[in-house]
Amino acid sequence: MSVIQIDKALYIGQGLDRECYLHPDDPGKCIKITISGDYRQHNDDIKYYNRLQKRDICWQQVARFYGLCTTSLGSGLIFEVVRDFDGSISRSLRDYIRNNGHPIDKAQLHQELSRLKDYLLEHAIIMRDLKDDNILLQRLDQNETRLVVIDGIGNNEFIPISELTPVFTRMKINRKWEKFIRKLQA
């Protein structure tokens, strides 16, 4: 496996543990590289995304995972880059909610949030960290949008009881969702 050279000019953004860069050889992909030295999230992501791939879920509202790579900055995870219809990288839900130059209609936001919740329930996707900066609002055209989760997926239970039965999974997703909605309303 060859080492992918990461150019700092390809920087997209940063979370608590990782930096994200455009893939130098594929503008449709990005690479998340752990910078904190704590690889727990990295390893948990690999396990959970591999389970989603085995279940052959629809990737419409979750950034597709393509696997591992070695980069000049360390081990990385390759994901789909979520882009708007005009080719620009989609903005976070947080940007739209805070109206950082990106206004959104409240009725449209409510509809998109409802669709995302339904999607997570339908595909039994548990969110470890459901936050407005882990979700992008993708503009499909001038009027149509959808929310796409780019991070925070997975189950952080020591013993993943919520994955034992569909009922427990739904309960876990609903609990996380209600907490997320309360934070958005605050």
Side-chain angles (χ1 to χ4, degrees):
M1 179 188 290
S2 63
V3 175
I4 299 171
Q5 295 300 314
I6 299 297
D7 182 339
K8 294 287 187 173
L10 300 174
Y11 177 84
I12 297 174
Q14 180 176 333
L16 291 175
D17 292 317
R18 301 187 284 197
E19 289 181 338
C20 186
Y21 295 89
L22 283 174
H23 193 296
D25 302 321
D26 188 341
K29 295 177 183 170
C30 66
I31 303 173
K32 295 180 184 179
I33 301 166
T34 299
I35 56 169
S36 67
D38 182 353
Y39 284 86
R40 285 179 294 185
Q41 182 178 352
H42 178 95
N43 294 328
D44 289 347
D45 278 357
I46 294 166
K47 291 176 196 170
Y48 198 78
Y49 277 95
N50 283 336
R51 289 202 314 263
L52 293 179
Q53 287 174 327
K54 285 179 186 171
R55 288 182 14 217
D56 196 27
I57 67 154
C58 164
W59 294 93
Q60 188 173 25
Q61 290 190 264
V62 171
R64 184 179 291 273
F65 174 62
Y66 291 104
L68 301 168
C69 66
T70 303
T71 77
S72 55
L73 299 177
S75 179
L77 302 177
I78 303 173
F79 287 91
E80 165 190 17
V81 171
V82 179
R83 293 186 182 272
D84 291 347
F85 71 95
D86 62 4
S88 63
I89 295 174
S90 299
R91 307 289 302 178
S92 74
L93 179 58
R94 177 176 289 172
D95 283 346
Y96 284 93
I97 290 171
R98 293 182 178 175
N99 196 11
N100 292 340
H102 305 282
I104 186 171
D105 177 73
K106 288 187 189 264
Q108 179 187 11
L109 176 59
H110 180 74
Q111 182 179 30
E112 294 303 331
L113 287 167
S114 179
R115 282 188 196 149
L116 179 59
K117 180 183 179 187
D118 291 345
Y119 169 86
L120 295 174
L121 288 166
E122 178 183 348
H123 297 285
I125 299 171
I126 295 173
M127 297 295 300
R128 174 186 66 247
D129 196 13
L130 189 54
K131 299 186 316 187
D132 58 1
D133 61 342
N134 286 341
I135 301 170
L136 302 182
L137 188 125
Q138 182 182 33
R139 296 178 304 127
L140 302 171
D141 60 33
Q142 289 290 353
N143 302 311
E144 190 179 355
T145 59
R146 75 170 156 220
L147 295 175
V148 180
V149 178
I150 59 162
D151 206 3
I153 291 177
N155 191 349
N156 57 357
E157 296 170 327
F158 181 69
I159 300 173
I161 292 171
S162 61
E163 294 182 60
L164 293 177
T165 70
V167 171
F168 289 167
T169 301
R170 288 182 72 80
M171 288 171 56
K172 174 83 171 193
I173 293 168
N174 282 319
R175 269 194 320 273
K176 289 276 191 174
W177 189 264
E178 294 306 317
K179 184 177 177 182
F180 169 63
I181 294 299
R182 281 193 304 272
K183 283 184 182 178
L184 284 182
Q185 292 171 341

Coordinates of all heavy atoms in Angstrom, one line a residue, residues 72-146:
S72 N 0.9 10.6 4.8 CA 2.1 11.2 5.3 C 1.9 11.7 6.7 O 2.9 12.0 7.4 CB 2.6 12.3 4.3 OG 1.6 13.2 4.1
L73 N 0.7 11.9 7.1 CA 0.3 12.3 8.5 C -0.1 11.2 9.4 O -0.5 11.5 10.5 CB -0.7 13.4 8.4 CG -0.4 14.7 7.6 CD1 -1.5 15.7 7.6 CD2 0.9 15.4 8.2
G74 N -0.1 10.0 8.9 CA -0.5 8.9 9.8 C -1.7 8.1 9.1 O -2.1 8.4 8.0
S75 N -2.2 7.2 9.9 CA -3.3 6.3 9.4 C -4.6 7.2 9.2 O -4.9 8.1 9.9 CB -3.6 5.3 10.4 OG -4.7 4.5 10.0
G76 N -5.3 6.9 8.1 CA -6.5 7.7 7.8 C -7.7 6.8 7.4 O -7.5 5.6 7.1
L77 N -8.8 7.4 7.5 CA -10.1 6.8 7.1 C -10.6 7.5 5.9 O -10.7 8.8 5.9 CB -11.1 6.8 8.2 CG -10.7 6.1 9.5 CD1 -11.9 6.2 10.5 CD2 -10.4 4.6 9.3
I78 N -11.0 6.8 4.8 CA -11.5 7.5 3.6 C -13.0 7.5 3.6 O -13.6 6.5 3.8 CB -10.9 6.8 2.4 CG1 -9.4 6.7 2.4 CG2 -11.4 7.5 1.1 CD1 -8.8 5.9 1.3
F79 N -13.5 8.7 3.4 CA -15.0 8.9 3.3 C -15.4 9.7 2.1 O -14.5 10.4 1.5 CB -15.5 9.7 4.5 CG -15.5 8.9 5.8 CD1 -14.4 8.9 6.6 CD2 -16.6 8.2 6.2 CE1 -14.3 8.2 7.8 CE2 -16.6 7.4 7.4 CZ -15.5 7.5 8.2
E80 N -16.6 9.6 1.7 CA -17.2 10.4 0.7 C -17.2 11.9 1.1 O -17.4 12.2 2.3 CB -18.7 9.9 0.5 CG -19.5 10.9 -0.3 CD -21.0 10.5 -0.3 OE1 -21.4 9.7 0.6 OE2 -21.7 11.0 -1.1
V81 N -16.9 12.8 0.2 CA -17.1 14.2 0.4 C -18.5 14.6 0.0 O -18.9 14.2 -1.1 CB -16.1 15.0 -0.4 CG1 -16.4 16.5 -0.3 CG2 -14.7 14.8 0.1
V82 N -19.2 15.2 0.9 CA -20.6 15.6 0.6 C -20.5 17.0 -0.1 O -20.0 18.0 0.5 CB -21.5 15.7 1.8 CG1 -22.9 16.1 1.5 CG2 -21.4 14.3 2.5
R83 N -21.1 17.1 -1.3 CA -21.0 18.3 -2.1 C -22.4 18.8 -2.5 O -23.3 17.9 -2.7 CB -20.1 18.2 -3.3 CG -18.7 17.9 -3.0 CD -17.8 17.9 -4.3 NE -16.4 17.7 -4.0 CZ -15.5 18.6 -3.7 NH1 -15.9 19.9 -3.7 NH2 -14.3 18.3 -3.5
D84 N -22.5 20.1 -2.6 CA -23.8 20.7 -3.1 C -23.8 20.6 -4.6 O -22.8 20.2 -5.3 CB -23.9 22.1 -2.7 CG -24.1 22.3 -1.2 OD1 -24.4 21.3 -0.5 OD2 -23.9 23.5 -0.7
F85 N -25.0 20.9 -5.2 CA -25.2 20.8 -6.6 C -24.2 21.6 -7.4 O -23.9 21.3 -8.6 CB -26.6 21.1 -7.0 CG -27.0 22.6 -6.9 CD1 -26.9 23.4 -8.0 CD2 -27.4 23.1 -5.7 CE1 -27.2 24.8 -7.8 CE2 -27.7 24.4 -5.5 CZ -27.6 25.3 -6.6
D86 N -23.7 22.7 -6.8 CA -22.8 23.6 -7.5 C -21.3 23.1 -7.4 O -20.4 23.8 -7.8 CB -22.9 25.0 -7.0 CG -22.6 25.2 -5.6 OD1 -22.2 24.2 -4.9 OD2 -22.8 26.3 -5.1
G87 N -21.1 22.0 -6.7 CA -19.7 21.5 -6.5 C -19.0 21.9 -5.2 O -18.0 21.3 -4.9
S88 N -19.6 22.8 -4.5 CA -19.0 23.3 -3.3 C -19.2 22.2 -2.2 O -20.2 21.5 -2.2 CB -19.5 24.6 -2.8 OG -20.9 24.5 -2.6
I89 N -18.3 22.2 -1.2 CA -18.5 21.2 -0.1 C -19.7 21.7 0.7 O -19.8 22.9 1.1 CB -17.2 21.1 0.8 CG1 -16.1 20.5 -0.1 CG2 -17.5 20.3 2.0 CD1 -14.8 20.5 0.6
S90 N -20.6 20.8 1.1 CA -21.8 21.2 1.8 C -21.4 21.7 3.2 O -20.4 21.3 3.8 CB -22.7 19.9 2.0 OG -23.1 19.5 0.8
R91 N -22.2 22.6 3.7 CA -22.0 23.3 5.0 C -22.7 22.5 6.1 O -23.7 21.8 5.9 CB -22.6 24.7 4.9 CG -22.1 25.6 3.8 CD -20.7 26.0 3.9 NE -20.4 26.7 5.1 CZ -19.3 27.2 5.5 NH1 -18.2 27.0 4.8 NH2 -19.2 27.8 6.6
S92 N -22.2 22.7 7.3 CA -22.8 22.0 8.5 C -24.2 22.6 8.8 O -24.5 23.8 8.5 CB -21.9 22.2 9.7 OG -21.9 23.5 10.2
L93 N -24.9 21.8 9.4 CA -26.2 22.2 9.9 C -26.1 23.3 10.9 O -26.9 24.3 11.0 CB -27.0 21.0 10.6 CG -28.3 21.2 11.2 CD1 -29.3 21.8 10.2 CD2 -28.9 20.0 11.8
R94 N -25.0 23.3 11.7 CA -24.7 24.4 12.6 C -24.6 25.7 11.9 O -25.1 26.7 12.4 CB -23.4 24.1 13.4 CG -23.0 25.2 14.4 CD -21.8 24.9 15.2 NE -22.2 23.9 16.1 CZ -21.3 23.2 16.9 NH1 -20.0 23.5 16.8 NH2 -21.7 22.3 17.7
D95 N -23.9 25.7 10.8 CA -23.8 27.0 10.0 C -25.2 27.5 9.6 O -25.5 28.7 9.7 CB -23.0 26.8 8.7 CG -21.5 26.7 9.0 OD1 -21.1 27.1 10.1 OD2 -20.8 26.3 8.1
Y96 N -26.1 26.6 9.2 CA -27.4 27.0 8.8 C -28.3 27.5 10.0 O -29.0 28.5 9.9 CB -28.1 25.9 8.1 CG -27.6 25.8 6.6 CD1 -26.6 24.9 6.3 CD2 -28.2 26.5 5.6 CE1 -26.1 24.8 5.0 CE2 -27.7 26.4 4.3 CZ -26.7 25.5 4.0 OH -26.2 25.4 2.8
I97 N -28.2 26.8 11.1 CA -28.9 27.1 12.3 C -28.5 28.5 12.9 O -29.3 29.3 13.3 CB -28.8 26.0 13.4 CG1 -29.6 24.8 12.9 CG2 -29.3 26.5 14.7 CD1 -29.4 23.6 13.8
R98 N -27.2 28.7 12.9 CA -26.6 30.0 13.4 C -26.7 31.1 12.3 O -26.3 32.2 12.6 CB -25.2 29.8 13.9 CG -25.2 28.9 15.1 CD -23.8 28.7 15.6 NE -23.8 27.9 16.8 CZ -22.7 27.5 17.4 NH1 -21.5 27.9 17.0 NH2 -22.8 26.8 18.5
N99 N -27.2 30.7 11.1 CA -27.3 31.7 10.0 C -26.0 32.4 9.7 O -26.0 33.6 9.5 CB -28.4 32.7 10.3 CG -28.9 33.4 9.1 OD1 -28.5 33.1 8.0 ND2 -29.6 34.5 9.3
N100 N -25.0 31.6 9.7 CA -23.6 32.1 9.3 C -23.5 32.4 7.8 O -22.8 31.7 7.1 CB -22.5 31.2 9.8 CG -22.4 31.1 11.3 OD1 -22.9 31.9 12.0 ND2 -21.8 30.0 11.8
G101 N -24.4 33.3 7.3 CA -24.4 33.5 5.9 C -25.1 32.5 5.1 O -25.1 32.5 3.9
H102 N -25.8 31.6 5.8 CA -26.5 30.5 5.1 C -27.9 30.3 5.8 O -28.1 29.4 6.6 CB -25.7 29.2 5.3 CG -24.3 29.3 4.8 ND1 -24.0 29.2 3.5 CD2 -23.2 29.4 5.5 CE1 -22.7 29.3 3.3 NE2 -22.2 29.5 4.5
P103 N -28.8 31.1 5.4 CA -30.2 31.0 6.0 C -30.9 29.8 5.6 O -30.7 29.2 4.5 CB -30.9 32.3 5.5 CG -30.2 32.6 4.2 CD -28.8 32.2 4.4
I104 N -31.8 29.3 6.5 CA -32.6 28.1 6.1 C -34.0 28.4 6.7 O -34.2 28.9 7.8 CB -32.0 26.8 6.7 CG1 -32.9 25.6 6.2 CG2 -31.9 26.9 8.2 CD1 -32.2 24.3 6.5
D105 N -35.0 28.0 6.0 CA -36.4 28.1 6.4 C -36.7 27.1 7.5 O -36.3 25.9 7.4 CB -37.3 27.8 5.1 CG -38.7 27.9 5.5 OD1 -39.3 29.0 5.7 OD2 -39.3 26.8 5.5
K106 N -37.3 27.6 8.6 CA -37.6 26.7 9.7 C -38.5 25.5 9.3 O -38.3 24.4 9.8 CB -38.2 27.5 10.8 CG -37.3 28.4 11.5 CD -37.9 29.1 12.7 CE -37.0 30.1 13.3 NZ -36.2 29.7 14.3
A107 N -39.4 25.7 8.4 CA -40.3 24.6 8.0 C -39.5 23.5 7.2 O -39.6 22.3 7.4 CB -41.4 25.1 7.2
Q108 N -38.6 24.0 6.4 CA -37.7 23.1 5.6 C -36.8 22.4 6.6 O -36.6 21.2 6.4 CB -36.9 23.9 4.6 CG -35.9 23.1 3.8 CD -35.0 23.9 2.9 OE1 -34.9 25.2 3.1 NE2 -34.3 23.3 2.0
L109 N -36.2 23.1 7.6 CA -35.3 22.4 8.6 C -36.1 21.3 9.3 O -35.6 20.2 9.5 CB -34.8 23.5 9.5 CG -33.9 22.9 10.7 CD1 -32.7 22.1 10.1 CD2 -33.5 24.0 11.6
H110 N -37.3 21.6 9.8 CA -38.1 20.6 10.5 C -38.3 19.4 9.6 O -38.2 18.3 10.1 CB -39.4 21.3 10.9 CG -40.3 20.3 11.7 ND1 -40.0 19.9 12.9 CD2 -41.4 19.7 11.3 CE1 -41.0 19.1 13.3 NE2 -41.8 18.9 12.3
Q111 N -38.6 19.6 8.3 CA -38.9 18.5 7.4 C -37.6 17.7 7.2 O -37.7 16.4 7.2 CB -39.4 19.1 6.1 CG -39.7 18.0 5.1 CD -40.2 18.6 3.8 OE1 -39.8 19.7 3.4 NE2 -41.0 17.9 3.1
E112 N -36.5 18.3 7.1 CA -35.2 17.6 6.9 C -34.8 16.8 8.1 O -34.3 15.7 8.0 CB -34.1 18.6 6.4 CG -34.3 19.2 5.1 CD -34.5 18.2 4.0 OE1 -33.9 17.0 4.0 OE2 -35.1 18.5 3.0
L113 N -35.0 17.4 9.3 CA -34.7 16.7 10.5 C -35.6 15.5 10.7 O -35.1 14.4 11.1 CB -34.9 17.6 11.7 CG -33.8 18.7 11.9 CD1 -34.3 19.8 12.9 CD2 -32.5 18.1 12.3
S114 N -36.9 15.6 10.3 CA -37.8 14.5 10.4 C -37.3 13.4 9.4 O -37.4 12.2 9.8 CB -39.2 14.9 10.0 OG -40.1 13.9 10.1
R115 N -36.9 13.7 8.2 CA -36.4 12.7 7.3 C -35.2 12.0 7.8 O -35.0 10.8 7.6 CB -36.1 13.4 5.9 CG -37.3 13.7 5.1 CD -36.9 14.2 3.7 NE -38.0 14.8 3.1 CZ -37.9 15.8 2.2 NH1 -36.7 16.3 1.9 NH2 -39.0 16.3 1.7
L116 N -34.3 12.8 8.4 CA -33.1 12.2 8.9 C -33.4 11.2 10.0 O -32.9 10.1 10.1 CB -32.1 13.2 9.4 CG -30.8 12.7 10.0 CD1 -30.0 11.8 9.0 CD2 -29.9 13.8 10.5
K117 N -34.2 11.6 10.9 CA -34.6 10.7 12.0 C -35.2 9.4 11.4 O -34.9 8.3 11.9 CB -35.6 11.3 13.0 CG -36.0 10.4 14.1 CD -37.0 11.0 15.0 CE -37.5 10.1 16.1 NZ -38.6 10.6 16.9
D118 N -36.1 9.5 10.5 CA -36.8 8.3 9.8 C -35.7 7.5 9.2 O -35.8 6.2 9.3 CB -37.8 8.8 8.8 CG -39.0 9.4 9.4 OD1 -39.2 9.3 10.7 OD2 -39.8 10.0 8.7
Y119 N -34.7 8.1 8.5 CA -33.7 7.3 7.9 C -32.9 6.5 8.9 O -32.6 5.4 8.7 CB -32.8 8.3 7.1 CG -31.5 7.7 6.6 CD1 -31.4 7.1 5.4 CD2 -30.3 7.8 7.4 CE1 -30.2 6.5 5.0 CE2 -29.1 7.3 6.9 CZ -29.1 6.6 5.7 OH -27.9 6.1 5.3
L120 N -32.5 7.2 10.0 CA -31.7 6.5 11.1 C -32.5 5.3 11.6 O -31.9 4.3 11.9 CB -31.3 7.5 12.2 CG -30.3 8.6 11.8 CD1 -30.2 9.6 12.9 CD2 -29.0 8.1 11.3
L121 N -33.7 5.5 11.9 CA -34.6 4.5 12.4 C -34.7 3.3 11.4 O -34.6 2.1 11.7 CB -36.0 5.0 12.8 CG -36.0 5.8 14.1 CD1 -37.3 6.6 14.2 CD2 -35.7 5.0 15.3
E122 N -35.0 3.7 10.1 CA -35.2 2.7 9.1 C -34.0 1.8 8.9 O -34.1 0.6 8.7 CB -35.5 3.3 7.8 CG -35.7 2.4 6.6 CD -36.0 3.1 5.3 OE1 -36.3 4.3 5.3 OE2 -35.9 2.4 4.3
H123 N -32.8 2.4 9.0 CA -31.6 1.6 8.8 C -30.8 1.2 10.1 O -29.7 0.7 10.0 CB -30.6 2.4 7.8 CG -31.2 2.7 6.5 ND1 -31.3 1.7 5.5 CD2 -31.8 3.7 6.0 CE1 -31.9 2.1 4.5 NE2 -32.2 3.4 4.7
A124 N -31.5 1.5 11.2 CA -31.0 1.1 12.5 C -29.5 1.6 12.7 O -28.6 0.9 13.1 CB -31.1 -0.4 12.7
I125 N -29.3 2.9 12.4 CA -28.0 3.5 12.6 C -28.0 4.3 13.9 O -28.7 5.3 14.1 CB -27.7 4.5 11.4 CG1 -27.7 3.7 10.1 CG2 -26.4 5.2 11.6 CD1 -27.7 4.5 8.8
I126 N -27.1 3.8 14.8 CA -27.0 4.5 16.1 C -25.9 5.6 16.0 O -24.9 5.4 15.4 CB -26.6 3.4 17.1 CG1 -27.7 2.4 17.3 CG2 -26.2 4.1 18.5 CD1 -27.4 1.3 18.2
M127 N -26.2 6.7 16.6 CA -25.3 7.8 16.6 C -24.6 7.9 18.0 O -25.3 7.9 19.0 CB -26.1 9.1 16.4 CG -26.7 9.2 15.0 SD -25.6 9.3 13.7 CE -24.6 10.7 14.1
R128 N -23.3 7.9 17.9 CA -22.5 8.0 19.2 C -22.5 9.5 19.6 O -22.6 9.8 20.8 CB -21.1 7.6 18.9 CG -20.1 7.8 20.0 CD -18.6 7.5 19.5 NE -18.2 8.4 18.5 CZ -17.9 8.0 17.2 NH1 -18.0 6.8 16.8 NH2 -17.5 8.9 16.3
D129 N -22.4 10.4 18.6 CA -22.3 11.8 18.9 C -23.2 12.6 17.9 O -22.7 13.0 16.9 CB -20.8 12.2 18.9 CG -20.5 13.5 19.5 OD1 -21.4 14.0 20.3 OD2 -19.4 14.0 19.3
L130 N -24.4 12.7 18.2 CA -25.4 13.4 17.3 C -25.3 14.9 17.6 O -25.9 15.4 18.6 CB -26.8 12.9 17.6 CG -27.9 13.3 16.6 CD1 -27.5 13.0 15.2 CD2 -29.2 12.5 16.9
K131 N -24.6 15.6 16.8 CA -24.4 17.1 16.9 C -24.6 17.8 15.6 O -24.4 17.2 14.5 CB -23.0 17.4 17.4 CG -22.6 16.8 18.8 CD -21.3 17.3 19.3 CE -20.2 17.3 18.3 NZ -18.9 17.5 18.8
D132 N -25.0 19.1 15.7 CA -25.2 19.8 14.5 C -24.0 20.1 13.6 O -24.1 20.4 12.4 CB -26.0 21.1 14.8 CG -25.2 22.0 15.7 OD1 -24.1 21.7 16.2 OD2 -25.7 23.1 16.0
D133 N -22.8 19.9 14.1 CA -21.6 20.0 13.3 C -21.2 18.7 12.7 O -20.2 18.7 11.9 CB -20.5 20.8 14.0 CG -20.0 20.1 15.2 OD1 -20.7 19.2 15.8 OD2 -18.9 20.4 15.7
N134 N -21.8 17.6 13.1 CA -21.6 16.3 12.5 C -22.6 16.0 11.3 O -22.6 14.9 10.8 CB -21.7 15.2 13.5 CG -20.5 15.2 14.4 OD1 -19.4 15.7 14.1 ND2 -20.6 14.5 15.6
I135 N -23.4 17.0 11.0 CA -24.4 16.8 10.0 C -24.3 17.9 9.0 O -24.2 19.1 9.4 CB -25.8 16.8 10.6 CG1 -26.0 15.7 11.6 CG2 -26.9 16.7 9.5 CD1 -27.2 15.8 12.5
L136 N -24.3 17.6 7.7 CA -24.2 18.6 6.7 C -25.6 18.7 6.0 O -26.3 17.8 5.9 CB -23.2 18.2 5.6 CG -21.8 18.0 6.0 CD1 -20.9 17.7 4.8 CD2 -21.2 19.2 6.8
L137 N -25.9 20.0 5.6 CA -27.1 20.2 4.8 C -26.6 20.3 3.3 O -26.0 21.2 2.9 CB -27.8 21.5 5.2 CG -29.2 21.6 4.5 CD1 -30.3 21.8 5.5 CD2 -29.2 22.7 3.5
Q138 N -27.0 19.2 2.6 CA -26.6 19.2 1.2 C -27.6 19.8 0.3 O -28.8 19.3 0.4 CB -26.3 17.7 0.8 CG -25.9 17.5 -0.6 CD -25.7 16.0 -1.0 OE1 -26.4 15.2 -0.5 NE2 -24.7 15.8 -1.8
R139 N -27.3 20.7 -0.5 CA -28.2 21.4 -1.4 C -28.1 20.6 -2.7 O -27.1 20.6 -3.4 CB -27.8 22.8 -1.7 CG -28.0 23.7 -0.4 CD -27.5 25.1 -0.6 NE -26.2 25.2 -1.1 CZ -25.8 25.9 -2.2 NH1 -26.7 26.6 -2.9 NH2 -24.6 26.0 -2.6
L140 N -29.2 19.9 -3.0 CA -29.3 19.0 -4.2 C -29.6 19.8 -5.5 O -29.2 19.4 -6.6 CB -30.3 17.9 -4.0 CG -30.1 17.0 -2.8 CD1 -31.3 16.1 -2.5 CD2 -28.8 16.2 -3.0
D141 N -30.3 20.9 -5.3 CA -30.6 21.9 -6.4 C -31.0 23.2 -5.7 O -30.8 23.3 -4.4 CB -31.6 21.4 -7.4 CG -33.0 21.1 -6.8 OD1 -33.4 21.8 -5.9 OD2 -33.6 20.2 -7.4
Q142 N -31.5 24.2 -6.4 CA -31.9 25.4 -5.8 C -32.9 25.3 -4.6 O -32.9 26.1 -3.7 CB -32.4 26.4 -6.8 CG -31.4 26.9 -7.8 CD -30.4 27.9 -7.2 OE1 -30.5 28.3 -6.0 NE2 -29.4 28.2 -7.9
N143 N -33.8 24.3 -4.7 CA -34.8 24.2 -3.7 C -34.8 22.9 -2.9 O -35.4 22.8 -1.8 CB -36.2 24.2 -4.5 CG -36.4 25.5 -5.3 OD1 -36.1 26.6 -4.7 ND2 -36.7 25.3 -6.5
E144 N -34.1 21.9 -3.3 CA -34.1 20.6 -2.6 C -32.8 20.4 -1.8 O -31.7 20.6 -2.3 CB -34.3 19.4 -3.6 CG -34.6 18.1 -3.0 CD -34.7 17.0 -4.0 OE1 -34.8 17.3 -5.2 OE2 -34.9 15.9 -3.6
T145 N -33.0 19.9 -0.6 CA -31.9 19.7 0.3 C -32.1 18.3 1.0 O -33.1 17.7 1.0 CB -31.8 20.7 1.4 OG1 -33.0 20.8 2.1 CG2 -31.5 22.1 0.8
R146 N -31.0 17.9 1.6 CA -31.1 16.7 2.5 C -30.0 16.8 3.5 O -28.9 17.4 3.3 CB -31.0 15.4 1.8 CG -29.7 15.0 1.3 CD -29.7 13.6 0.8 NE -28.6 13.4 -0.2 CZ -28.6 12.7 -1.3 NH1 -29.7 12.1 -1.6 NH2 -27.6 12.6 -2.1

